Amino acid sequence: MLVIELAEEVPRAAIQRLHEFLVRSSARFEEKRLGEYDLNIHAESLGIKDTGGVDGRRPVLVSLMGPGIGDEAIFEAEHADEVDQEPLIGFTPTYAVDVIAFCNRPVDHIVTVLLTAAVMDVIGGVVNAELLEDQVPIVAGLPGIVATMTDPWPAAYGSAEFLRAWVQQPGFRLLN
């Protein structure tokens, strides 16, 4: 899972562009509510050629949350244990997008990262990626990094450019 932190509400036009992108890129698409999409993304639509011998249609949930959209209680719960993000990323998140893979194969980690980058291309934001401790020095020098932290847990904040650079690193893997 990756979280895109947002400073403000996503305009309806951007949500519509996101919807259109996900429909084009998916084998199965279900809009559960405005801004929440349960889908099977085509790995090849993200430029992934090697799926490790598994079906290239990967199950993912993309969910926009915040005041007036989505489950505000989940947004609040997810951000309750966060450090003060304003000094790290320049704002306190008021909205977020979760990108959640429903499988844990290597291709699912790649799909999650590249799909998150594609979502960020449409709506903006800063990704909040929890890291394994040994990943901190690897990501620290990548382009598009906004900030890293190690306390209370390792994490990196960055742009879509950061995500695309990170996924290219040897041994790349998401934490969860």
Side-chain angles (χ1 to χ4, degrees):
M1 176 175 127
L2 289 171
V3 178
I4 303 167
E5 306 290 9
L6 301 164
E8 56 193 32
E9 184 175 1
V10 178
R12 297 291 175 174
I15 294 172
Q16 182 59 38
R17 287 191 308 274
L18 176 61
H19 177 276
E20 291 165 2
F21 164 73
L22 294 173
V23 167
R24 282 192 315 272
S25 304
S26 300
R28 182 187 63 76
F29 177 88
E30 179 184 345
E31 184 173 35
K32 295 187 166 274
R33 62 162 171 76
L34 181 67
E36 183 168 286
Y37 312 104
D38 185 1
L39 49 104
N40 283 353
I41 194 86
H42 285 293
E44 63 272 6
S45 72
L46 301 170
I48 301 167
K49 301 200 183 327
D50 180 7
T51 61
V54 299
D55 188 334
R57 298 170 295 183
R58 308 312 299 161
V60 180
L61 178 70
V62 176
S63 181
L64 174 61
M65 298 175 287
I69 188 163
D71 191 332
E72 291 178 52
I74 291 175
F75 175 85
E76 294 299 327
E78 286 182 355
H79 288 80
D81 64 349
E82 288 289 334
V83 299
D84 181 11
Q85 294 175 322
E86 187 166 359
L88 296 167
I89 61 176
F91 62 90
T92 298
T94 56
Y95 291 83
V97 178
D98 286 351
V99 180
I100 305 166
F102 290 121
C103 294
N104 196 25
R105 295 179 182 265
V107 68
D108 297 303
H109 293 253
I110 296 167
V111 163
T112 303
V113 166
L114 294 179
L115 179 57
T116 301
V119 170
M120 291 172 73
D121 289 343
V122 176
I123 65 167
V126 174
V127 71
N128 175 350
E130 290 186 33
L131 302 171
L132 297 168
E133 224 169 281
D134 64 344
Q135 291 176 311
V136 174
I138 294 168
V139 303
L142 294 177
I145 280 286
V146 174
T148 59
M149 65 179 207
T150 56
D151 186 39
W153 54 80
Y157 294 89
S159 66
E161 178 187 27
F162 155 67
L163 290 174
R164 291 183 178 105
W166 184 29
V167 79
Q168 309 255 339
Q169 298 307 302
F172 162 79
R173 181 170 177 81
L174 291 174
L175 176 64
N176 55 15

